[in-house]
Structure formats: C-alpha cells, structure tokens
Coordinates of all heavy atoms in Angstrom, one line a residue:
M53 N 130.9 153.0 -3.1 CA 130.8 152.9 -4.6 C 129.3 152.8 -5.0 O 128.6 152.0 -4.4 CB 131.5 151.6 -5.0 CG 133.0 151.6 -4.9 SD 133.5 152.3 -6.5 CE 135.2 152.2 -6.4
G54 N 129.0 153.5 -6.0 CA 127.6 153.5 -6.5 C 127.5 152.5 -7.7 O 128.4 151.8 -8.1
T55 N 126.4 152.6 -8.4 CA 126.1 151.8 -9.6 C 127.0 152.4 -10.7 O 127.0 153.6 -10.9 CB 124.6 151.8 -9.9 OG1 123.9 151.4 -8.8 CG2 124.4 151.0 -11.1
P56 N 127.6 151.5 -11.5 CA 128.4 152.0 -12.6 C 127.5 152.8 -13.6 O 126.3 152.5 -13.7 CB 129.0 150.8 -13.3 CG 128.8 149.7 -12.3 CD 127.7 150.1 -11.4
A57 N 128.1 153.7 -14.4 CA 127.4 154.4 -15.4 C 126.8 153.5 -16.5 O 127.4 152.4 -16.7 CB 128.3 155.5 -16.0
G58 N 125.8 153.9 -17.1 CA 125.2 153.1 -18.3 C 124.1 152.2 -17.8 O 123.5 152.3 -16.8
F59 N 123.8 151.3 -18.7 CA 122.8 150.3 -18.6 C 123.2 148.9 -19.0 O 124.1 148.8 -19.9 CB 121.5 150.7 -19.4 CG 121.0 152.0 -19.1 CD1 121.4 153.1 -19.8 CD2 120.0 152.1 -18.1 CE1 120.8 154.4 -19.5 CE2 119.4 153.3 -17.8 CZ 119.9 154.5 -18.5
T60 N 122.6 147.9 -18.4 CA 122.9 146.5 -18.9 C 122.1 146.3 -20.2 O 121.0 146.9 -20.3 CB 122.6 145.5 -17.9 OG1 121.2 145.4 -17.7 CG2 123.4 145.7 -16.6
L61 N 122.5 145.4 -21.0 CA 121.7 145.0 -22.2 C 120.4 144.5 -21.8 O 119.4 144.7 -22.5 CB 122.5 144.1 -23.1 CG 123.8 144.6 -23.7 CD1 124.4 143.6 -24.6 CD2 123.5 145.9 -24.5
G62 N 120.3 143.8 -20.7 CA 119.0 143.2 -20.2 C 118.1 144.4 -19.8 O 116.9 144.3 -20.1
E63 N 118.6 145.4 -19.2 CA 117.7 146.6 -18.8 C 117.2 147.3 -20.1 O 116.1 147.6 -20.2 CB 118.5 147.6 -18.0 CG 118.8 147.1 -16.6 CD 119.9 147.9 -15.8 OE1 120.7 148.6 -16.5 OE2 119.8 147.9 -14.6
L64 N 118.1 147.5 -21.0 CA 117.7 148.1 -22.3 C 116.7 147.3 -23.0 O 115.7 147.8 -23.5 CB 119.0 148.4 -23.2 CG 119.9 149.5 -22.8 CD1 121.1 149.5 -23.6 CD2 119.2 150.8 -22.9
A65 N 116.9 146.0 -23.2 CA 116.0 145.1 -23.9 C 114.6 145.2 -23.2 O 113.6 145.3 -23.9 CB 116.5 143.7 -23.9
A66 N 114.6 145.1 -21.9 CA 113.3 145.1 -21.2 C 112.6 146.5 -21.4 O 111.4 146.5 -21.6 CB 113.5 144.9 -19.7
T67 N 113.3 147.6 -21.3 CA 112.7 148.9 -21.5 C 112.2 149.1 -22.9 O 111.1 149.7 -23.1 CB 113.8 150.0 -21.2 OG1 114.2 149.8 -19.8 CG2 113.2 151.4 -21.4
L68 N 112.9 148.6 -23.9 CA 112.5 148.8 -25.3 C 111.6 147.7 -25.8 O 111.1 147.8 -26.9 CB 113.8 148.8 -26.2 CG 114.8 150.0 -25.9 CD1 116.0 149.8 -26.7 CD2 114.1 151.3 -26.2
G69 N 111.4 146.6 -25.1 CA 110.6 145.5 -25.5 C 111.4 144.7 -26.6 O 110.7 144.2 -27.6
A70 N 112.7 144.7 -26.5 CA 113.5 144.0 -27.6 C 113.8 142.6 -27.2 O 113.8 142.2 -26.0 CB 114.8 144.8 -27.7
T71 N 114.1 141.8 -28.2 CA 114.6 140.4 -28.0 C 116.1 140.5 -27.9 O 116.7 141.0 -28.9 CB 114.1 139.5 -29.1 OG1 112.7 139.5 -29.2 CG2 114.6 138.1 -28.9
L72 N 116.7 140.0 -26.9 CA 118.2 140.1 -26.7 C 118.9 138.8 -27.0 O 118.5 137.7 -26.5 CB 118.5 140.5 -25.3 CG 120.0 140.6 -25.0 CD1 120.7 141.7 -25.8 CD2 120.2 140.9 -23.5
E73 N 119.9 138.8 -27.9 CA 120.8 137.7 -28.2 C 122.1 138.1 -27.6 O 122.8 138.9 -28.2 CB 120.9 137.4 -29.7 CG 119.6 137.0 -30.3 CD 119.7 136.8 -31.8 OE1 120.9 136.6 -32.3 OE2 118.7 136.8 -32.4
G74 N 122.5 137.6 -26.5 CA 123.8 137.9 -25.9 C 123.6 138.0 -24.4 O 122.6 137.8 -23.8
D75 N 124.7 138.5 -23.7 CA 124.8 138.6 -22.3 C 123.9 139.7 -21.7 O 124.3 140.9 -22.0 CB 126.2 138.8 -21.9 CG 126.5 138.9 -20.4 OD1 125.5 138.7 -19.6 OD2 127.6 139.2 -20.0
P76 N 122.9 139.4 -21.0 CA 122.0 140.5 -20.5 C 122.8 141.4 -19.4 O 122.3 142.5 -19.1 CB 120.8 139.8 -19.8 CG 121.3 138.4 -19.6 CD 122.4 138.1 -20.6
G77 N 123.8 140.9 -18.9 CA 124.6 141.6 -17.9 C 125.6 142.6 -18.4 O 126.2 143.4 -17.7
R78 N 125.9 142.5 -19.7 CA 126.9 143.4 -20.4 C 126.4 144.8 -20.3 O 125.3 145.2 -20.5 CB 127.0 143.0 -21.8 CG 128.1 143.8 -22.5 CD 128.4 143.3 -23.9 NE 129.6 144.0 -24.3 CZ 130.5 143.4 -25.1 NH1 130.3 142.2 -25.6 NH2 131.6 144.1 -25.5
R79 N 127.3 145.7 -19.9 CA 127.0 147.1 -19.6 C 127.5 148.0 -20.8 O 128.6 147.8 -21.3 CB 127.7 147.6 -18.3 CG 127.3 149.0 -17.9 CD 127.6 149.2 -16.5 NE 126.8 148.5 -15.5 CZ 125.6 148.8 -15.2 NH1 125.0 149.9 -15.6 NH2 124.9 148.1 -14.3
V80 N 126.6 148.9 -21.2 CA 127.0 149.9 -22.3 C 126.8 151.2 -21.6 O 125.9 151.5 -20.8 CB 126.1 149.7 -23.6 CG1 126.5 148.4 -24.3 CG2 124.7 149.8 -23.3
T81 N 127.7 152.2 -22.0 CA 127.7 153.5 -21.4 C 127.3 154.6 -22.4 O 127.3 155.7 -22.0 CB 129.1 153.8 -20.8 OG1 130.1 153.7 -21.8 CG2 129.4 152.8 -19.7
G82 N 127.1 154.3 -23.6 CA 126.8 155.3 -24.6 C 126.3 154.7 -25.9 O 126.3 153.5 -26.1
V83 N 126.0 155.6 -26.8 CA 125.5 155.3 -28.1 C 126.4 156.0 -29.1 O 126.8 157.1 -28.9 CB 124.0 155.8 -28.4 CG1 123.5 155.4 -29.8 CG2 123.1 155.2 -27.3
A84 N 126.7 155.3 -30.2 CA 127.6 155.8 -31.3 C 127.3 155.2 -32.6 O 126.7 154.1 -32.7 CB 129.1 155.6 -30.9
P85 N 127.6 155.9 -33.7 CA 127.4 155.3 -35.0 C 128.3 154.1 -35.2 O 129.3 153.9 -34.6 CB 127.9 156.4 -36.0 CG 128.1 157.7 -35.2 CD 128.2 157.2 -33.8
L86 N 127.8 153.2 -36.1 CA 128.6 151.9 -36.4 C 130.1 152.1 -36.6 O 130.9 151.4 -36.0 CB 128.0 151.3 -37.6 CG 126.7 150.4 -37.4 CD1 126.2 150.0 -38.8 CD2 127.0 149.2 -36.6
E87 N 130.4 153.1 -37.4 CA 131.9 153.2 -37.7 C 132.7 153.8 -36.6 O 133.9 153.7 -36.6 CB 132.0 154.1 -39.0 CG 131.6 155.5 -38.9 CD 130.1 155.7 -39.1 OE1 129.3 154.7 -39.4 OE2 129.6 156.8 -38.9
A88 N 132.1 154.4 -35.6 CA 132.8 155.0 -34.5 C 132.6 154.3 -33.1 O 133.4 154.6 -32.2 CB 132.4 156.5 -34.3
A89 N 131.7 153.4 -33.0 CA 131.4 152.8 -31.7 C 132.5 151.9 -31.2 O 133.2 151.3 -32.0 CB 130.1 152.0 -31.8
G90 N 132.7 152.0 -29.9 CA 133.7 151.1 -29.2 C 133.0 150.1 -28.4 O 131.7 150.0 -28.3
P91 N 133.8 149.2 -27.7 CA 133.2 148.1 -26.9 C 132.3 148.5 -25.8 O 131.5 147.7 -25.3 CB 134.4 147.4 -26.4 CG 135.6 148.1 -26.9 CD 135.2 149.3 -27.7
E92 N 132.3 149.7 -25.3 CA 131.4 150.2 -24.3 C 130.2 150.8 -24.8 O 129.4 151.4 -24.0 CB 132.2 151.1 -23.4 CG 133.4 150.6 -22.7 CD 133.1 149.6 -21.6 OE1 132.2 149.9 -20.8 OE2 133.8 148.6 -21.5
Q93 N 130.0 150.9 -26.1 CA 128.9 151.6 -26.7 C 127.9 150.7 -27.5 O 128.4 149.6 -28.0 CB 129.4 152.7 -27.6 CG 130.2 153.7 -26.8 CD 130.9 154.6 -27.7 OE1 131.6 154.2 -28.7 NE2 130.9 155.9 -27.4
I94 N 126.7 151.1 -27.6 CA 125.7 150.4 -28.4 C 125.5 151.2 -29.7 O 125.6 152.4 -29.7 CB 124.4 150.1 -27.7 CG1 123.5 149.2 -28.5 CG2 123.7 151.4 -27.4 CD1 122.3 148.7 -27.7
S95 N 125.4 150.5 -30.8 CA 125.1 151.2 -32.1 C 123.8 150.6 -32.6 O 123.2 149.8 -32.0 CB 126.2 151.0 -33.1 OG 126.1 151.9 -34.2
F96 N 123.4 151.1 -33.8 CA 122.1 150.7 -34.3 C 122.2 150.4 -35.8 O 123.0 151.0 -36.5 CB 121.0 151.7 -34.0 CG 121.3 153.1 -34.5 CD1 121.0 153.5 -35.7 CD2 122.0 153.9 -33.7 CE1 121.3 154.8 -36.2 CE2 122.4 155.2 -34.1 CZ 122.0 155.6 -35.4
L97 N 121.4 149.5 -36.2 CA 121.3 149.1 -37.6 C 119.8 148.7 -37.9 O 119.4 147.6 -37.5 CB 122.2 147.9 -37.9 CG 122.2 147.4 -39.4 CD1 122.7 148.5 -40.3 CD2 123.1 146.2 -39.5
I98 N 119.0 149.6 -38.3 CA 117.6 149.4 -38.5 C 117.2 149.0 -39.9 O 116.0 148.6 -40.1 CB 116.7 150.6 -38.0 CG1 117.1 151.8 -38.7 CG2 116.9 150.8 -36.5 CD1 116.1 153.0 -38.4
D99 N 118.1 149.0 -40.8 CA 117.8 148.6 -42.2 C 118.9 147.8 -42.7 O 120.1 148.2 -42.7 CB 117.5 149.8 -43.0 CG 116.9 149.5 -44.4 OD1 117.3 148.5 -45.0 OD2 116.1 150.3 -44.8
A100 N 118.7 146.6 -43.2 CA 119.7 145.7 -43.7 C 120.5 146.3 -44.8 O 121.7 146.0 -45.1 CB 119.1 144.4 -44.2
R101 N 120.0 147.3 -45.5 CA 120.7 148.0 -46.6 C 122.0 148.7 -46.0 O 122.9 149.0 -46.8 CB 119.9 149.1 -47.3 CG 118.7 148.5 -48.1 CD 117.9 149.5 -48.7 NE 117.2 150.3 -47.6 CZ 116.4 151.3 -47.8 NH1 116.2 151.8 -49.0 NH2 115.8 151.9 -46.8
Y102 N 122.0 149.0 -44.7 CA 123.1 149.7 -44.1 C 124.0 148.8 -43.3 O 124.7 149.3 -42.5 CB 122.6 150.9 -43.3 CG 121.7 151.8 -44.0 CD1 120.3 151.9 -43.8 CD2 122.2 152.6 -45.1 CE1 119.5 152.7 -44.5 CE2 121.4 153.4 -45.8 CZ 120.1 153.5 -45.6 OH 119.3 154.3 -46.3
R103 N 123.9 147.5 -43.6 CA 124.7 146.5 -42.9 C 126.2 146.9 -43.0 O 126.7 147.4 -44.1 CB 124.5 145.2 -43.6 CG 125.1 144.1 -42.9 CD 124.8 142.8 -43.7 NE 125.2 141.7 -42.9 CZ 124.4 141.0 -42.1 NH1 123.1 141.3 -42.1 NH2 124.8 140.0 -41.3
P104 N 127.0 146.7 -42.0 CA 128.4 147.2 -42.0 C 129.2 146.4 -43.0 O 128.8 145.3 -43.4 CB 128.9 146.9 -40.6 CG 127.9 145.9 -40.0 CD 126.6 146.1 -40.7
P105 N 130.2 147.0 -43.5 CA 131.1 146.3 -44.5 C 131.8 145.1 -43.8 O 131.6 144.9 -42.6 CB 132.2 147.4 -44.9 CG 132.1 148.3 -43.7 CD 130.7 148.3 -43.2
P106 N 132.5 144.3 -44.6 CA 133.1 143.1 -44.0 C 133.9 143.3 -42.7 O 134.0 142.5 -41.9 CB 134.1 142.6 -45.1 CG 133.4 143.1 -46.4 CD 132.8 144.4 -46.0
R107 N 134.5 144.5 -42.6 CA 135.2 144.8 -41.3 C 134.1 145.1 -40.3 O 133.4 146.1 -40.4 CB 136.1 146.0 -41.5 CG 136.9 146.3 -40.3 CD 137.8 147.6 -40.6 NE 137.9 148.4 -39.4 CZ 137.1 149.4 -39.1 NH1 136.3 149.9 -40.0 NH2 137.2 150.1 -38.0
P108 N 134.0 144.3 -39.3 CA 132.9 144.5 -38.3 C 133.1 145.7 -37.5 O 134.2 146.2 -37.3 CB 133.0 143.2 -37.5 CG 134.3 142.7 -37.7 CD 134.8 143.1 -39.0
S109 N 132.0 146.2 -37.0 CA 132.0 147.3 -36.1 C 132.6 146.9 -34.8 O 132.5 145.7 -34.4 CB 130.5 147.8 -35.8 OG 130.5 148.7 -34.8
R110 N 133.2 147.8 -34.0 CA 133.7 147.5 -32.7 C 132.7 147.7 -31.6 O 133.0 147.6 -30.4 CB 134.9 148.4 -32.4 CG 136.1 148.1 -33.3 CD 137.3 148.9 -33.0 NE 137.5 149.2 -31.6 CZ 137.7 150.4 -31.1 NH1 137.8 151.5 -31.8 NH2 137.8 150.6 -29.8
A111 N 131.4 148.0 -32.0 CA 130.4 148.3 -31.0 C 130.2 147.1 -30.0 O 130.3 145.9 -30.4 CB 129.0 148.5 -31.7
G112 N 129.9 147.4 -28.8 CA 129.7 146.4 -27.8 C 128.4 145.7 -27.9 O 128.3 144.5 -27.5
A113 N 127.5 146.3 -28.7 CA 126.2 145.7 -28.9 C 125.5 146.5 -30.0 O 125.9 147.6 -30.3 CB 125.3 145.7 -27.7
L114 N 124.5 145.8 -30.7 CA 123.8 146.5 -31.7 C 122.3 146.4 -31.5 O 121.8 145.4 -31.0 CB 124.1 145.8 -33.1 CG 125.5 145.9 -33.6 CD1 125.7 145.0 -34.8 CD2 125.8 147.3 -34.0
L115 N 121.6 147.5 -31.8 CA 120.2 147.6 -31.7 C 119.7 147.5 -33.2 O 120.2 148.2 -34.0 CB 119.7 148.9 -31.1 CG 118.2 149.1 -31.0 CD1 117.7 148.1 -30.0 CD2 118.0 150.5 -30.5
V116 N 118.9 146.4 -33.5 CA 118.6 146.2 -34.9 C 117.1 145.9 -35.1 O 116.4 145.7 -34.1 CB 119.3 144.9 -35.4 CG1 120.9 145.1 -35.3 CG2 118.9 143.6 -34.7
A117 N 116.7 146.0 -36.3 CA 115.3 145.6 -36.7 C 115.3 144.0 -36.7 O 116.3 143.4 -37.0 CB 114.9 146.1 -38.0
E118 N 114.1 143.4 -36.4 CA 114.0 142.0 -36.4 C 114.4 141.4 -37.7 O 114.8 140.2 -37.8 CB 112.6 141.5 -36.0 CG 112.4 141.7 -34.5 CD 111.0 141.3 -34.1 OE1 110.1 141.1 -35.0 OE2 110.8 141.1 -32.9
S119 N 114.3 142.2 -38.8 CA 114.6 141.6 -40.1 C 116.1 141.6 -40.4 O 116.5 141.0 -41.4 CB 113.9 142.5 -41.2 OG 114.4 143.9 -41.1
V120 N 116.9 142.1 -39.5 CA 118.4 142.1 -39.7 C 118.9 140.9 -38.9 O 118.6 140.8 -37.7 CB 119.0 143.4 -39.2 CG1 120.5 143.3 -39.3 CG2 118.5 144.6 -40.0
S121 N 119.7 140.0 -39.6 CA 120.2 138.8 -38.8 C 121.6 138.6 -39.2 O 122.1 139.2 -40.1 CB 119.3 137.6 -39.2 OG 119.3 137.3 -40.5
G122 N 122.2 137.6 -38.6 CA 123.5 137.1 -38.9 C 124.6 138.1 -38.4 O 125.7 138.0 -39.0
L123 N 124.4 138.9 -37.4 CA 125.4 139.8 -36.9 C 126.2 139.2 -35.7 O 125.5 138.6 -34.9 CB 124.8 141.1 -36.5 CG 124.2 141.9 -37.7 CD1 123.4 143.1 -37.1 CD2 125.2 142.4 -38.7
P124 N 127.5 139.4 -35.6 CA 128.2 138.9 -34.5 C 127.9 139.8 -33.3 O 127.5 140.9 -33.4 CB 129.6 139.0 -34.9 CG 129.6 140.2 -35.9 CD 128.3 140.2 -36.6
G125 N 128.2 139.2 -32.1 CA 128.1 140.0 -30.9 C 126.7 140.1 -30.4 O 125.7 139.7 -31.0
P126 N 126.5 140.8 -29.2 CA 125.2 141.0 -28.7 C 124.3 141.8 -29.6 O 124.7 142.8 -30.1 CB 125.5 141.7 -27.3 CG 126.9 141.5 -27.0 CD 127.6 141.3 -28.4
V127 N 123.0 141.4 -29.7 CA 122.1 142.1 -30.5 C 120.8 142.2 -29.8 O 120.3 141.2 -29.3 CB 121.9 141.3 -31.9 CG1 120.8 141.9 -32.7 CG2 123.2 141.2 -32.7
A128 N 120.2 143.4 -29.8 CA 118.8 143.6 -29.3 C 118.0 143.9 -30.5 O 118.2 144.9 -31.2 CB 118.8 144.8 -28.3
A129 N 117.0 143.0 -30.8 CA 116.2 143.1 -32.0 C 114.8 143.7 -31.6 O 114.2 143.2 -30.7 CB 116.0 141.8 -32.6
L130 N 114.3 144.7 -32.4 CA 113.0 145.3 -32.2 C 112.2 145.0 -33.4 O 112.6 145.1 -34.6 CB 113.2 146.8 -32.0 CG 113.9 147.3 -30.8 CD1 114.3 148.7 -30.9 CD2 112.9 147.1 -29.6
Q131 N 110.9 144.8 -33.2 CA 110.0 144.6 -34.3 C 109.8 145.9 -35.1 O 109.7 145.9 -36.3 CB 108.6 144.1 -33.7 CG 107.6 143.8 -34.8 CD 106.4 143.2 -34.3 OE1 106.1 143.2 -33.1 NE2 105.5 142.7 -35.2
H132 N 109.6 147.0 -34.4 CA 109.4 148.3 -35.0 C 110.4 149.3 -34.4 O 110.1 150.2 -33.6 CB 108.0 148.8 -34.7 CG 106.9 147.9 -35.2 ND1 106.7 147.7 -36.5 CD2 106.1 147.1 -34.5 CE1 105.7 146.8 -36.6 NE2 105.3 146.5 -35.4
P133 N 111.7 149.3 -34.9 CA 112.7 150.1 -34.3 C 112.6 151.6 -34.5 O 113.1 152.4 -33.8 CB 114.0 149.6 -35.0 CG 113.5 149.0 -36.3 CD 112.2 148.5 -36.0
R134 N 111.8 152.0 -35.5 CA 111.6 153.4 -35.8 C 110.5 154.0 -34.9 O 110.3 155.2 -34.8 CB 111.2 153.7 -37.2 CG 112.4 153.3 -38.1 CD 112.0 153.6 -39.6 NE 112.9 153.0 -40.5 CZ 113.8 153.6 -41.1 NH1 114.0 154.9 -41.0 NH2 114.7 153.0 -41.9
S135 N 109.7 153.2 -34.2 CA 108.7 153.7 -33.3 C 109.3 154.1 -32.0 O 110.3 153.6 -31.5 CB 107.7 152.5 -33.0 OG 107.1 152.1 -34.1
R136 N 108.7 155.1 -31.4 CA 109.1 155.6 -30.1 C 108.4 154.9 -29.0 O 107.2 154.8 -29.1 CB 108.9 157.1 -30.0 CG 109.8 157.8 -31.0 CD 109.4 159.2 -31.1 NE 110.0 159.9 -30.0 CZ 109.9 161.2 -29.7 NH1 109.1 161.9 -30.5 NH2 110.5 161.8 -28.7
P137 N 109.0 154.5 -27.9 CA 108.3 153.9 -26.8 C 107.4 154.9 -26.1 O 107.7 156.1 -26.1 CB 109.4 153.4 -25.9 CG 110.7 154.0 -26.3 CD 110.5 154.5 -27.7
S138 N 106.3 154.5 -25.6 CA 105.4 155.4 -25.0 C 106.0 155.9 -23.7 O 106.7 155.1 -23.0 CB 104.0 154.8 -24.7 OG 104.2 153.5 -24.1
S139 N 105.8 157.1 -23.3 CA 106.4 157.7 -22.2 C 105.7 157.3 -20.9 O 104.4 157.2 -20.9 CB 106.3 159.3 -22.3 OG 106.7 159.9 -21.1
P140 N 106.4 157.0 -19.8 CA 105.8 156.6 -18.6 C 105.1 157.8 -17.9 O 104.4 157.6 -16.9 CB 106.9 156.0 -17.8 CG 108.1 156.6 -18.3 CD 107.8 156.9 -19.8
C141 N 105.3 159.0 -18.3 CA 104.8 160.2 -17.7 C 103.4 160.5 -18.2 O 103.1 160.4 -19.3 CB 105.7 161.4 -17.9 SG 107.4 161.1 -17.2

C-alpha cells in the first residue's frame, strides 16, 4: 500500500504559509467550488462578500483570507490569498 491520494491540511498549510485552524492530519483529495465541494475536498473563500449562505458548504476544509472569520470546520487562512507562491524551480 502506498500513500493515499491528496494532501493533509498540515502539508497544504505549510506549503502555502497559511495558518491552520483544524486537524492538520485531515486529508483532502481535490478542490471544488463552495456549492459543489464534498467532505474530501477543499474550497476557497477569499472575500467575505462571497460568504456562503446560511446552509453551510459540505467542503472538508476552506482556504480563506485572514479577514474572513467565523466559519465552521477546518480553515487555512492566508494573508494574501490572491498571491501566487514562489516556485521552488
């Protein structure tokens, strides 16, 4: 048996330089929009204006701007979510 597909939230937070609120061992296997994401996927919310409606997203985790708060579930917060990380190459 090999390593399961995807990344842990701890790995993603470390790679992105994000602050993680939640279980760093939780594994996500894909990315999807808020309205379509399931428990194995991470979604993103970089502007509070696009906060989900009262019915919460089913996303397993959210990638958010530091200015977005009060969301349930695991959250990886970035200071500048629109910036691209520098390439290691």
Side-chain angles (χ1 to χ4, degrees):
M53 289 269 184
T55 303
F59 299 92
T60 66
L61 294 180
E63 291 168 334
L64 285 172
T67 299
L68 296 173
T71 302
L72 180 63
E73 295 177 19
D75 178 6
R78 184 174 191 148
R79 186 164 290 280
V80 291
T81 59
V83 178
L86 277 171
E87 63 277 358
E92 301 284 319
Q93 297 168 315
I94 191 167
S95 192
F96 53 92
L97 181 63
I98 58 173
D99 192 320
R101 293 179 292 179
Y102 304 111
R103 189 181 191 95
R107 185 179 141 261
S109 171
R110 292 183 37 229
L114 293 171
L115 183 62
V116 302
E118 286 180 343
S119 61
V120 177
S121 62
L123 295 172
V127 173
L130 291 164
Q131 186 175 10
H132 302 288
R134 294 179 194 259
S135 298
R136 298 170 77 181
S138 50
S139 174
C141 300

